[in-house]
Each structure stands twice: as structure tokens, then as C-alpha cells.
Coordinates of all heavy atoms in Angstrom, one line a residue:
M186 N 0.9 -1.1 0.0 CA 0.0 0.0 0.1 C 0.9 1.2 0.0 O 1.9 1.2 0.6 CB -1.0 0.0 1.2 CG -1.9 1.1 1.3 SD -3.2 0.9 2.4 CE -4.1 -0.4 1.6
S187 N 0.5 2.3 -0.6 CA 1.2 3.5 -0.7 C 1.4 4.2 0.6 O 0.6 4.2 1.4 CB 0.5 4.6 -1.6 OG 0.1 4.0 -2.9
R188 N 2.5 4.7 0.9 CA 2.8 5.4 2.1 C 1.9 6.7 2.1 O 1.8 7.3 1.1 CB 4.3 5.8 2.1 CG 4.8 6.3 3.4 CD 6.2 6.5 3.4 NE 6.8 5.2 3.4 CZ 7.7 4.8 4.2 NH1 8.1 5.6 5.2 NH2 8.2 3.6 4.2
G189 N 1.2 6.9 3.3 CA 0.4 8.0 3.4 C -1.0 7.7 2.9 O -2.0 8.6 3.4
A190 N -1.3 6.7 2.3 CA -2.8 6.4 1.8 C -3.4 5.8 3.1 O -2.9 5.1 3.8 CB -2.7 5.4 0.8
P191 N -4.8 6.2 3.2 CA -5.4 5.6 4.4 C -5.5 4.1 4.2 O -5.9 3.6 3.1 CB -6.8 6.3 4.3 CG -6.8 7.0 3.1 CD -5.5 7.1 2.5
Q192 N -5.3 3.4 5.3 CA -5.4 1.9 5.1 C -6.9 1.5 5.4 O -7.5 1.9 6.3 CB -4.6 1.2 6.2 CG -4.6 -0.2 6.1 CD -3.7 -0.9 7.3 OE1 -3.0 -0.2 7.9 NE2 -3.7 -2.2 7.4
T193 N -7.5 0.7 4.4 CA -8.8 0.3 4.5 C -8.8 -1.2 4.2 O -7.9 -1.8 3.7 CB -9.7 0.9 3.5 OG1 -9.3 0.6 2.1 CG2 -9.8 2.5 3.7
T194 N -9.9 -1.9 4.7 CA -9.9 -3.4 4.6 C -11.2 -3.8 4.0 O -12.2 -3.1 4.0 CB -9.7 -4.1 6.0 OG1 -10.8 -3.7 6.8 CG2 -8.5 -3.8 6.6
A195 N -11.0 -5.0 3.4 CA -12.3 -5.6 2.9 C -12.5 -6.9 3.7 O -11.5 -7.7 3.9 CB -12.2 -6.0 1.3
Q196 N -13.7 -7.3 4.0 CA -14.0 -8.6 4.6 C -14.9 -9.3 3.7 O -15.8 -8.7 3.2 CB -14.5 -8.4 6.0 CG -14.8 -9.7 6.7 CD -15.2 -9.6 8.1 OE1 -14.8 -8.7 8.8 NE2 -16.1 -10.5 8.6
I197 N -14.5 -10.7 3.5 CA -15.4 -11.4 2.7 C -16.1 -12.4 3.5 O -15.5 -13.2 4.4 CB -14.4 -12.3 1.8 CG1 -13.6 -11.3 0.9 CG2 -15.2 -13.2 0.8 CD1 -14.3 -10.5 0.0
E198 N -17.5 -12.5 3.4 CA -18.3 -13.4 4.0 C -18.7 -14.5 3.0 O -18.8 -14.3 1.8 CB -19.6 -12.7 4.6 CG -19.2 -11.6 5.6 CD -18.6 -12.1 6.9 OE1 -18.5 -13.3 7.1 OE2 -18.0 -11.2 7.6
P199 N -19.1 -15.7 3.3 CA -19.2 -16.1 4.8 C -17.9 -16.7 5.3 O -17.9 -17.0 6.4 CB -20.2 -17.2 4.7 CG -20.1 -17.9 3.2 CD -19.5 -16.7 2.3
G200 N -16.8 -16.6 4.6 CA -15.6 -17.3 5.0 C -14.7 -16.4 5.9 O -13.8 -16.9 6.6
G201 N -15.1 -15.2 6.2 CA -14.3 -14.4 7.1 C -12.9 -13.9 6.5 O -12.0 -13.4 7.4
L202 N -12.6 -14.1 5.3 CA -11.4 -13.7 4.8 C -11.3 -12.1 4.9 O -12.3 -11.5 4.7 CB -11.2 -14.1 3.3 CG -11.3 -15.6 3.1 CD1 -11.4 -16.0 1.5 CD2 -10.2 -16.3 3.6
R203 N -10.1 -11.6 5.1 CA -9.9 -10.1 5.1 C -8.6 -9.9 4.3 O -7.6 -10.5 4.2 CB -9.6 -9.8 6.6 CG -10.6 -9.7 7.5 CD -10.3 -9.2 8.9 NE -11.3 -9.2 9.7 CZ -12.1 -8.1 9.9 NH1 -11.9 -7.0 9.4 NH2 -13.2 -8.1 10.7
F204 N -8.6 -8.6 3.7 CA -7.4 -8.2 3.0 C -7.4 -6.6 3.1 O -8.5 -6.0 3.2 CB -7.4 -8.7 1.6 CG -8.6 -8.4 0.7 CD1 -8.5 -7.2 -0.1 CD2 -9.6 -9.2 0.6 CE1 -9.6 -6.9 -1.1 CE2 -10.8 -8.9 -0.2 CZ -10.7 -7.8 -1.0
E205 N -6.3 -6.0 2.9 CA -6.1 -4.6 2.7 C -6.5 -4.3 1.4 O -6.2 -4.9 0.3 CB -4.7 -4.1 3.0 CG -4.3 -4.3 4.5 CD -3.0 -3.8 4.8 OE1 -2.4 -3.0 3.9 OE2 -2.5 -4.0 5.9
T206 N -7.2 -3.0 1.2 CA -7.5 -2.6 -0.1 C -6.5 -1.5 -0.4 O -5.9 -0.9 0.5 CB -9.0 -2.1 -0.1 OG1 -9.1 -0.9 0.8 CG2 -10.0 -3.1 0.1
E207 N -6.2 -1.2 -1.6 CA -5.1 -0.5 -2.1 C -5.7 0.7 -2.9 O -6.5 0.5 -3.8 CB -4.2 -1.2 -3.0 CG -3.5 -2.4 -2.2 CD -2.6 -3.3 -3.1 OE1 -1.9 -2.7 -3.9 OE2 -2.9 -4.6 -2.9
A208 N -5.3 2.0 -2.5 CA -5.9 3.1 -3.3 C -5.7 3.1 -4.7 O -4.5 2.6 -5.3 CB -5.1 4.4 -2.8
G209 N -6.7 3.3 -5.5 CA -6.5 3.2 -7.0 C -6.7 1.9 -7.5 O -6.6 1.9 -8.8
R210 N -6.9 0.8 -6.8 CA -7.1 -0.4 -7.3 C -8.5 -1.0 -7.0 O -9.1 -0.6 -6.0 CB -6.0 -1.4 -6.6 CG -4.5 -1.0 -6.9 CD -3.6 -1.9 -6.6 NE -3.6 -2.9 -7.5 CZ -2.8 -4.1 -7.6 NH1 -2.2 -4.3 -6.4 NH2 -2.9 -5.0 -8.5
T211 N -9.0 -1.8 -7.9 CA -10.3 -2.4 -7.7 C -10.2 -3.5 -6.6 O -9.2 -4.0 -6.1 CB -10.8 -3.2 -9.0 OG1 -10.0 -4.3 -9.2 CG2 -10.9 -2.2 -10.2
L212 N -11.4 -3.8 -6.0 CA -11.6 -4.9 -4.9 C -10.9 -6.2 -5.5 O -10.2 -6.9 -4.8 CB -12.9 -5.1 -4.5 CG -13.6 -3.9 -3.8 CD1 -15.0 -4.0 -3.6 CD2 -13.0 -4.0 -2.4
L213 N -11.1 -6.4 -6.8 CA -10.6 -7.7 -7.4 C -9.0 -7.7 -7.4 O -8.4 -8.7 -6.9 CB -11.1 -8.0 -8.8 CG -10.6 -9.2 -9.5 CD1 -11.1 -10.3 -8.8 CD2 -11.2 -9.1 -10.9
E214 N -8.5 -6.5 -7.9 CA -7.0 -6.4 -7.8 C -6.4 -6.5 -6.4 O -5.4 -7.1 -6.2 CB -6.6 -5.0 -8.6 CG -7.0 -5.0 -10.0 CD -6.9 -3.6 -10.6 OE1 -7.0 -2.6 -9.8 OE2 -6.8 -3.5 -11.8
S215 N -7.0 -5.8 -5.5 CA -6.5 -5.9 -4.2 C -6.7 -7.2 -3.5 O -5.8 -7.7 -2.8 CB -7.3 -4.9 -3.2 OG -7.0 -3.5 -3.5
A216 N -7.7 -7.9 -3.8 CA -7.8 -9.4 -3.4 C -6.8 -10.2 -3.9 O -6.2 -11.0 -3.2 CB -9.2 -9.9 -3.7
E217 N -6.6 -10.1 -5.1 CA -5.6 -10.9 -5.9 C -4.1 -10.7 -5.2 O -3.4 -11.5 -5.1 CB -5.6 -10.6 -7.3 CG -6.8 -11.3 -7.9 CD -7.0 -11.0 -9.5 OE1 -6.3 -10.0 -9.9 OE2 -7.7 -11.7 -10.2
S218 N -3.8 -9.4 -5.0 CA -2.5 -9.1 -4.3 C -2.4 -9.7 -3.0 O -1.3 -10.0 -2.6 CB -2.4 -7.6 -4.3 OG -2.4 -6.9 -5.5
A219 N -3.5 -9.9 -2.3 CA -3.4 -10.6 -1.0 C -3.6 -12.1 -1.1 O -3.6 -12.7 0.0 CB -4.6 -9.9 -0.1
G220 N -3.6 -12.6 -2.2 CA -3.7 -14.1 -2.4 C -5.1 -14.7 -2.2 O -5.3 -15.8 -1.9
I221 N -6.1 -13.8 -2.4 CA -7.5 -14.1 -2.2 C -8.0 -14.2 -3.7 O -8.0 -13.2 -4.5 CB -8.3 -13.3 -1.3 CG1 -7.7 -13.4 0.1 CG2 -9.8 -13.6 -1.3 CD1 -8.3 -12.5 1.1
E222 N -8.8 -15.3 -4.0 CA -9.4 -15.5 -5.4 C -10.9 -15.2 -5.2 O -11.6 -15.9 -4.6 CB -9.1 -16.9 -5.9 CG -9.5 -16.9 -7.3 CD -8.9 -18.0 -8.2 OE1 -7.7 -18.3 -7.9 OE2 -9.5 -18.6 -9.0
L223 N -11.3 -14.2 -6.0 CA -12.7 -14.0 -6.2 C -13.2 -14.5 -7.6 O -12.3 -14.4 -8.4 CB -13.0 -12.5 -6.1 CG -12.6 -11.8 -4.9 CD1 -12.9 -10.3 -4.8 CD2 -13.1 -12.4 -3.6
P224 N -14.3 -15.1 -7.9 CA -14.7 -15.4 -9.2 C -14.5 -14.2 -10.1 O -14.9 -13.1 -9.7 CB -16.3 -15.6 -9.1 CG -16.5 -16.0 -7.5 CD -15.4 -15.2 -6.8
S225 N -14.0 -14.3 -11.3 CA -13.7 -13.3 -12.2 C -13.6 -13.9 -13.7 O -13.2 -15.1 -13.7 CB -12.6 -12.4 -11.8 OG -11.4 -13.1 -11.9
S226 N -13.8 -13.0 -14.6 CA -13.4 -13.3 -16.0 C -13.0 -12.2 -16.8 O -11.8 -12.0 -17.0 CB -14.7 -14.2 -16.7 OG -14.3 -14.6 -17.9
C227 N -13.9 -11.4 -17.2 CA -13.7 -10.3 -18.2 C -12.8 -9.1 -17.5 O -12.1 -8.4 -18.3 CB -14.9 -9.7 -18.8 SG -15.8 -8.7 -17.6
R228 N -13.0 -8.8 -16.3 CA -12.3 -7.7 -15.6 C -12.7 -6.3 -16.2 O -12.1 -5.3 -16.0 CB -10.8 -7.9 -15.7 CG -10.4 -9.2 -15.1 CD -8.9 -9.4 -15.2 NE -8.6 -10.5 -14.4 CZ -8.1 -10.5 -13.1 NH1 -8.0 -9.3 -12.5 NH2 -7.8 -11.5 -12.5
N229 N -13.9 -6.2 -16.9 CA -14.3 -4.8 -17.4 C -15.7 -4.6 -17.1 O -16.3 -3.6 -17.8 CB -14.0 -4.7 -18.8 CG -14.7 -5.7 -19.7 OD1 -15.7 -6.2 -19.3 ND2 -14.2 -5.9 -21.0
G230 N -16.4 -5.3 -16.3 CA -17.7 -5.1 -15.8 C -18.9 -5.5 -16.7 O -19.9 -5.0 -16.5
T231 N -18.5 -6.5 -17.7 CA -19.6 -6.9 -18.5 C -20.0 -8.3 -18.3 O -21.3 -8.6 -18.6 CB -19.1 -6.7 -20.0 OG1 -18.0 -7.4 -20.4 CG2 -19.0 -5.1 -20.4
C232 N -19.1 -9.2 -17.9 CA -19.6 -10.6 -18.0 C -20.4 -11.1 -16.8 O -21.0 -12.1 -16.7 CB -18.4 -11.5 -18.1 SG -17.4 -11.7 -16.6
R233 N -20.3 -10.3 -15.6 CA -21.0 -10.5 -14.4 C -20.5 -11.7 -13.7 O -21.1 -12.1 -12.6 CB -22.4 -10.6 -14.7 CG -23.0 -9.3 -15.2 CD -24.4 -9.4 -15.7 NE -25.3 -9.9 -14.7 CZ -26.1 -9.2 -13.9 NH1 -26.1 -8.0 -13.9 NH2 -26.9 -9.9 -13.0
T234 N -19.5 -12.3 -14.0 CA -18.8 -13.6 -13.2 C -18.6 -13.2 -11.8 O -18.7 -13.9 -10.9 CB -17.6 -14.1 -13.9 OG1 -17.9 -14.4 -15.1 CG2 -16.9 -15.2 -13.2
C235 N -18.1 -12.0 -11.6 CA -17.7 -11.5 -10.2 C -18.7 -10.9 -9.4 O -18.5 -10.6 -8.2 CB -16.6 -10.5 -10.2 SG -16.9 -8.9 -11.1
I236 N -20.1 -10.9 -9.9 CA -21.1 -10.2 -9.2 C -21.2 -10.8 -7.9 O -21.2 -11.8 -7.5 CB -22.4 -10.2 -9.8 CG1 -23.5 -9.3 -9.2 CG2 -23.0 -11.8 -9.9 CD1 -24.7 -9.2 -10.1
C237 N -21.4 -9.8 -6.8 CA -21.5 -10.1 -5.3 C -22.3 -9.0 -4.7 O -22.5 -7.9 -5.2 CB -20.1 -10.3 -4.7 SG -19.1 -8.9 -4.5
R238 N -22.7 -9.2 -3.4 CA -23.4 -8.2 -2.8 C -22.5 -7.4 -1.7 O -21.7 -8.1 -1.0 CB -24.6 -8.9 -2.0 CG -25.5 -7.8 -1.3 CD -26.7 -8.4 -0.9 NE -27.7 -8.2 -1.9 CZ -28.7 -8.8 -2.1 NH1 -29.1 -9.6 -1.3 NH2 -29.7 -8.4 -3.1
L239 N -22.6 -6.2 -1.9 CA -22.0 -5.4 -0.8 C -22.8 -5.2 0.4 O -24.0 -4.8 0.5 CB -21.8 -3.9 -1.4 CG -21.1 -2.8 -0.6 CD1 -19.7 -3.2 -0.3 CD2 -21.3 -1.4 -1.3
L240 N -22.3 -5.9 1.5 CA -23.0 -5.9 2.8 C -22.9 -4.7 3.6 O -23.9 -4.2 4.3 CB -22.6 -7.1 3.6 CG -22.8 -8.5 2.9 CD1 -22.1 -9.6 3.8 CD2 -24.3 -8.7 2.7
D241 N -21.7 -4.1 3.5 CA -21.4 -2.9 4.3 C -20.3 -2.0 3.4 O -19.5 -2.6 2.9 CB -20.8 -3.2 5.7 CG -21.9 -3.7 6.7 OD1 -22.9 -3.2 6.8 OD2 -21.5 -4.8 7.2
G242 N -20.4 -0.7 3.7 CA -19.5 0.1 3.0 C -20.0 0.7 1.8 O -21.2 0.6 1.5
E243 N -19.0 1.3 1.0 CA -19.4 1.9 -0.2 C -18.3 1.7 -1.3 O -17.1 1.5 -0.9 CB -19.5 3.4 0.0 CG -19.8 4.4 -1.1 CD -20.0 5.8 -0.7 OE1 -19.9 6.2 0.6 OE2 -19.9 6.6 -1.6
V244 N -18.7 1.7 -2.5 CA -17.7 1.6 -3.6 C -18.0 2.6 -4.6 O -19.1 3.2 -4.8 CB -17.7 0.2 -4.3 CG1 -17.4 -0.8 -3.3 CG2 -19.1 -0.1 -5.0
R245 N -17.1 3.0 -5.4 CA -17.3 3.8 -6.7 C -16.7 2.9 -7.9 O -15.8 2.2 -7.8 CB -16.5 5.2 -6.6 CG -15.0 5.0 -6.6 CD -14.2 6.3 -6.6 NE -13.0 6.3 -6.1 CZ -12.6 6.5 -4.9 NH1 -13.5 7.2 -4.1 NH2 -11.4 6.5 -4.4
F246 N -17.5 3.0 -8.9 CA -17.1 2.3 -10.1 C -16.2 3.0 -11.0 O -16.3 4.2 -11.3 CB -18.4 1.8 -10.9 CG -19.2 0.9 -10.1 CD1 -20.5 1.2 -9.4 CD2 -18.9 -0.5 -10.0 CE1 -21.1 0.4 -8.7 CE2 -19.7 -1.3 -9.4 CZ -20.8 -1.0 -8.6
R247 N -15.3 2.3 -11.7 CA -14.4 2.8 -12.6 C -15.1 3.2 -13.8 O -14.5 4.0 -14.7 CB -13.3 1.8 -12.9 CG -12.1 1.7 -11.9 CD -11.0 0.9 -12.4 NE -10.1 0.9 -11.4 CZ -8.9 0.2 -11.5 NH1 -8.7 -0.6 -12.5 NH2 -7.9 0.4 -10.6
I248 N -16.2 2.6 -14.2 CA -16.8 2.9 -15.5 C -18.2 3.5 -15.1 O -18.7 3.2 -14.0 CB -17.0 1.6 -16.2 CG1 -17.7 0.5 -15.6 CG2 -15.7 1.1 -16.8 CD1 -18.0 -0.7 -16.5
E249 N -18.7 4.3 -16.1 CA -20.0 5.1 -15.7 C -21.1 4.0 -15.4 O -21.8 4.4 -14.5 CB -20.3 5.8 -17.0 CG -21.4 6.8 -16.7 CD -21.8 7.7 -17.9 OE1 -20.9 8.0 -18.5 OE2 -22.9 8.1 -17.9
W250 N -21.3 3.1 -16.1 CA -22.5 2.1 -15.8 C -22.1 0.8 -16.1 O -22.1 0.2 -17.1 CB -23.6 2.5 -16.7 CG -24.9 1.9 -16.1 CD1 -25.5 0.8 -16.5 CD2 -25.6 2.4 -15.0 NE1 -26.6 0.6 -15.6 CE2 -26.7 1.6 -14.8 CE3 -25.5 3.5 -14.1 CZ2 -27.7 1.6 -13.6 CZ3 -26.4 3.6 -13.1 CH2 -27.5 2.8 -13.0
P251 N -21.6 0.1 -14.8 CA -21.2 -1.3 -15.0 C -22.3 -2.1 -15.4 O -23.5 -1.8 -15.4 CB -20.6 -1.6 -13.6 CG -21.4 -0.7 -12.7 CD -21.7 0.5 -13.6
G252 N -22.1 -3.4 -15.7 CA -23.2 -4.4 -16.2 C -24.2 -4.7 -15.1 O -24.4 -5.9 -14.8
L253 N -24.7 -3.8 -14.4 CA -25.8 -4.0 -13.4 C -27.0 -3.3 -13.7 O -26.8 -2.1 -14.2 CB -25.3 -3.6 -12.0 CG -24.1 -4.3 -11.4 CD1 -23.6 -3.5 -10.3 CD2 -24.4 -5.7 -11.1
S254 N -28.2 -3.7 -13.4 CA -29.4 -3.0 -13.6 C -29.5 -1.9 -12.6 O -28.9 -2.1 -11.4 CB -30.6 -3.9 -13.6 OG -30.8 -4.4 -12.3
R255 N -30.4 -1.0 -12.6 CA -30.6 -0.1 -11.6 C -31.1 -0.7 -10.4 O -30.7 -0.4 -9.2 CB -31.7 1.1 -12.2 CG -32.0 2.1 -11.3 CD -32.9 3.2 -12.0 NE -31.9 4.1 -12.6 CZ -31.9 4.3 -13.9 NH1 -32.7 3.7 -14.7 NH2 -31.1 5.2 -14.4
E256 N -31.9 -1.7 -10.6 CA -32.6 -2.4 -9.5 C -31.4 -3.2 -8.7 O -31.5 -3.3 -7.4 CB -33.7 -3.3 -9.9 CG -34.9 -2.7 -10.5 CD -34.7 -2.3 -11.9 OE1 -33.8 -2.6 -12.6 OE2 -35.5 -1.3 -12.2
E257 N -30.6 -3.8 -9.4 CA -29.4 -4.6 -8.8 C -28.6 -3.6 -8.0 O -28.2 -4.0 -6.9 CB -28.6 -5.4 -9.9 CG -29.3 -6.5 -10.5 CD -28.7 -7.1 -11.6 OE1 -28.0 -6.4 -12.4 OE2 -28.7 -8.3 -11.8
K258 N -28.3 -2.6 -8.5 CA -27.4 -1.6 -7.8 C -28.2 -1.1 -6.5 O -27.5 -1.0 -5.4 CB -27.1 -0.3 -8.6 CG -26.0 -0.7 -9.7 CD -25.8 0.6 -10.5 CE -24.8 1.4 -9.8 NZ -24.3 2.7 -10.8
A259 N -29.4 -0.8 -6.6 CA -30.2 -0.5 -5.4 C -30.3 -1.5 -4.4 O -30.4 -1.2 -3.2 CB -31.6 -0.1 -5.8
E260 N -30.2 -2.8 -4.9 CA -30.2 -3.9 -3.8 C -28.8 -4.3 -3.3 O -28.7 -5.1 -2.5 CB -30.7 -5.2 -4.6 CG -32.2 -5.2 -5.0 CD -32.7 -6.4 -5.8 OE1 -31.9 -7.2 -6.2 OE2 -33.8 -6.3 -6.2
G261 N -27.9 -3.5 -3.7 CA -26.5 -3.7 -3.1 C -25.6 -4.7 -3.9 O -24.4 -4.9 -3.6
W262 N -25.9 -5.0 -5.2 CA -25.0 -5.8 -5.9 C -23.9 -5.0 -6.6 O -24.2 -3.8 -7.0 CB -25.8 -6.5 -7.1 CG -26.8 -7.5 -6.5 CD1 -28.1 -7.3 -6.4 CD2 -26.4 -8.9 -6.1 NE1 -28.8 -8.4 -5.8 CE2 -27.7 -9.4 -5.6 CE3 -25.4 -9.6 -6.0 CZ2 -27.8 -10.6 -5.1 CZ3 -25.4 -10.9 -5.5 CH2 -26.6 -11.4 -5.1
I263 N -22.7 -5.6 -6.7 CA -21.5 -4.8 -7.2 C -20.7 -5.8 -8.1 O -20.9 -6.9 -8.0 CB -20.7 -4.2 -6.2 CG1 -19.9 -5.2 -5.3 CG2 -21.4 -3.3 -5.4 CD1 -18.8 -4.8 -4.6
L264 N -19.9 -5.1 -8.9 CA -18.9 -5.9 -9.7 C -17.6 -5.6 -9.2 O -17.0 -4.5 -9.6 CB -19.2 -5.7 -11.2 CG -20.3 -6.0 -11.7 CD1 -20.5 -5.5 -13.1 CD2 -20.7 -7.4 -11.7
P265 N -16.9 -6.4 -8.4 CA -15.5 -6.1 -7.7 C -14.5 -5.8 -8.9 O -13.5 -5.2 -8.4 CB -15.3 -7.3 -7.0 CG -16.5 -8.1 -6.7 CD -17.4 -7.7 -7.9
C266 N -14.6 -6.2 -10.1 CA -13.6 -6.1 -11.1 C -13.6 -4.6 -11.5 O -12.4 -4.2 -12.1 CB -13.8 -7.0 -12.3 SG -15.3 -6.5 -13.4
V267 N -14.5 -3.8 -11.3 CA -14.7 -2.4 -11.6 C -15.0 -1.5 -10.4 O -15.3 -0.3 -10.7 CB -15.5 -2.1 -12.9 CG1 -14.8 -2.8 -14.1 CG2 -16.9 -2.6 -12.7
A268 N -14.9 -2.1 -9.3 CA -15.5 -1.4 -8.1 C -14.2 -1.1 -7.2 O -13.4 -2.0 -6.8 CB -16.4 -2.1 -7.2
E269 N -14.0 0.2 -6.8 CA -13.0 0.6 -5.9 C -13.6 1.0 -4.6 O -14.7 1.6 -4.6 CB -12.3 1.9 -6.3 CG -11.5 1.6 -7.6 CD -10.7 2.8 -8.2 OE1 -10.6 4.0 -7.4 OE2 -10.3 2.7 -9.3
P270 N -13.2 0.4 -3.5 CA -13.8 0.8 -2.1 C -13.5 2.1 -1.6 O -12.6 2.8 -2.1 CB -13.1 -0.3 -1.2 CG -11.7 -0.4 -1.8 CD -11.9 -0.3 -3.3
V271 N -14.5 2.6 -1.0 CA -14.5 4.1 -0.4 C -14.6 3.7 1.1 O -15.7 3.6 1.8 CB -15.6 4.9 -0.9 CG1 -15.7 6.2 -0.2 CG2 -15.8 5.1 -2.3
G272 N -13.5 3.5 1.7 CA -13.4 3.1 3.0 C -13.5 1.5 3.2 O -13.5 0.8 2.3
D273 N -13.7 1.0 4.5 CA -13.8 -0.4 4.7 C -15.1 -0.9 4.0 O -16.2 -0.2 4.0 CB -13.9 -0.7 6.2 CG -12.5 -0.2 7.0 OD1 -11.5 -0.2 6.3 OD2 -12.5 -0.2 8.2
V274 N -15.1 -2.2 3.6 CA -16.3 -2.8 3.0 C -16.3 -4.2 3.4 O -15.3 -4.8 4.0 CB -16.1 -2.7 1.5 CG1 -16.2 -1.4 0.8 CG2 -14.9 -3.5 0.8
R275 N -17.5 -4.7 3.4 CA -17.7 -6.2 3.7 C -18.7 -6.6 2.6 O -19.7 -6.1 2.2 CB -18.6 -6.4 5.1 CG -18.7 -7.8 5.6 CD -19.1 -7.9 7.0 NE -20.5 -7.4 7.1 CZ -21.5 -8.0 7.3 NH1 -21.4 -9.3 7.2 NH2 -22.7 -7.4 7.4
L276 N -18.1 -7.8 1.9 CA -18.8 -8.4 0.8 C -19.3 -9.8 0.9 O -18.7 -10.5 1.8 CB -17.8 -8.5 -0.3 CG -17.1 -7.2 -0.7 CD1 -15.9 -7.5 -1.8 CD2 -18.0 -6.2 -1.2
D277 N -20.3 -10.2 0.4 CA -20.9 -11.5 0.4 C -20.3 -12.3 -0.8 O -20.9 -12.1 -2.0 CB -22.4 -11.5 0.5 CG -23.0 -13.0 0.5 OD1 -22.2 -13.9 1.0 OD2 -24.2 -13.2 0.2
V278 N -19.3 -13.2 -0.7 CA -18.8 -13.8 -1.9 C -18.5 -15.4 -1.6 O -17.4 -15.6 -1.1 CB -17.3 -13.2 -2.4 CG1 -16.9 -13.8 -3.7 CG2 -17.5 -11.7 -2.5
P279 N -19.5 -16.1 -1.5 CA -19.3 -17.5 -1.1 C -18.3 -18.4 -1.7 O -17.8 -19.3 -1.1 CB -20.8 -18.1 -1.3 CG -21.7 -17.0 -1.5 CD -20.8 -15.8 -2.0
L280 N -17.9 -18.0 -3.0 CA -17.0 -18.9 -3.6 C -15.5 -18.3 -3.6 O -14.7 -18.9 -4.2 CB -17.4 -19.0 -5.2 CG -18.7 -19.7 -5.4 CD1 -18.9 -19.7 -6.9 CD2 -18.6 -21.0 -4.9
A281 N -15.4 -17.3 -2.7 CA -14.0 -16.8 -2.5 C -13.1 -17.8 -1.7 O -13.6 -18.4 -0.8 CB -14.0 -15.5 -1.8
F282 N -11.8 -17.7 -2.0 CA -10.9 -18.6 -1.1 C -9.5 -18.0 -1.2 O -9.2 -17.2 -2.0 CB -11.0 -20.1 -1.7 CG -10.3 -20.2 -3.1 CD1 -9.0 -20.3 -3.3 CD2 -11.2 -20.3 -4.2 CE1 -8.4 -20.6 -4.4 CE2 -10.6 -20.4 -5.5 CZ -9.2 -20.6 -5.6
S283 N -8.8 -18.3 -0.2 CA -7.4 -17.9 -0.1 C -6.4 -19.0 -0.6 O -6.5 -20.2 -0.4 CB -7.1 -17.6 1.4 OG -5.8 -17.3 1.6
H284 N -5.3 -18.5 -1.2 CA -4.3 -19.3 -1.6 C -3.3 -19.6 -0.5 O -2.4 -20.4 -0.8 CB -3.6 -18.7 -2.9 CG -4.3 -18.7 -4.0 ND1 -4.5 -19.7 -5.0 CD2 -5.1 -17.7 -4.6 CE1 -5.3 -19.5 -5.9 NE2 -5.7 -18.2 -5.9
F285 N -3.5 -19.0 0.6 CA -2.6 -19.2 1.6 C -3.1 -19.9 2.8 O -4.3 -19.9 3.0 CB -2.0 -17.9 2.2 CG -1.5 -17.0 1.2 CD1 -1.9 -15.9 0.8 CD2 -0.1 -17.3 0.7 CE1 -1.4 -15.0 -0.1 CE2 0.5 -16.6 -0.3 CZ -0.1 -15.5 -0.7

């Protein structure tokens, strides 16, 4: 993580995995740096392989309108491949696992 950048964390449920998020990186990129694998494929917000629910916290998307409907966004669904956390977050990703 960059010196001086605020340290934030992401927690993955139901497994309780945790990792530090990195400023300017997506949740998927930060998870991979920490040895945590989240489902993914396209990495550009269109295939929806990585779709998961944001349980707590806030994200901002790198693209104007990711591959989510207005209703899905309102229900808390996000695409970690194009979502950057705004502070600490907690996600529901049942298929996530750690390589360590």
C-alpha cells in the first residue's frame, strides 16, 4: 500500500477472509494481491462473473455504468472487477478462497 494512503480493509463473508484494499485499485485487484481469489473473468464489468453483494461500506465504479441494472445496484449488488472501495467494505462472496 502507498505510504500516506489511508489503510482500509475488505472482509469477505461467509468465510471471514480479510485483505487490505489499495488506493486506486479495484476490489478484485486488491484481493488478488493478498492471495484471495474471487470469481472473475472479463475484468471490465460486462460478464458478471464476479457479481456479489456489498453488505457494508461503499464503492465507486471505474466505469460510468457497469453491467448491473438500476434495481441490482439499489439492492447492493456490485462488480468487484470495476469497483474501488470508499473506506472499509464487507462483501458476500461464497466462492472466494485464499491461496495461503
Side-chain angles (χ1 to χ4, degrees):
M186 185 164 292
S187 314
R188 191 173 288 240
Q192 183 176 356
T193 61
T194 60
Q196 181 170 327
I197 306 295
E198 302 296 349
L202 300 170
R203 288 180 177 268
F204 60 92
E205 289 184 14
T206 60
E207 302 170 43
R210 299 190 80 191
T211 66
L212 286 164
L213 179 63
E214 292 167 337
S215 290
E217 289 175 339
S218 291
I221 296 173
E222 187 160 327
L223 306 179
S225 67
S226 185
C227 74
R228 299 176 174 267
N229 65 18
T231 58
C232 77
R233 299 171 50 98
T234 300
C235 66
I236 192 170
C237 69
R238 185 165 267 162
L239 179 66
L240 301 173
D241 290 308
E243 182 182 345
V244 299
R245 67 177 153 257
F246 290 102
R247 283 189 170 176
I248 58 177
E249 187 175 332
W250 197 258
L253 297 168
S254 70
R255 183 171 274 118
E256 293 79 18
E257 287 170 327
K258 285 179 82 173
E260 292 171 1
W262 294 99
I263 66 166
L264 299 172
C266 71
V267 291
E269 296 179 10
V271 179
D273 294 341
V274 295
R275 191 166 63 99
L276 309 173
D277 181 25
V278 189
L280 298 177
F282 65 91
S283 176
H284 287 281
F285 302 109

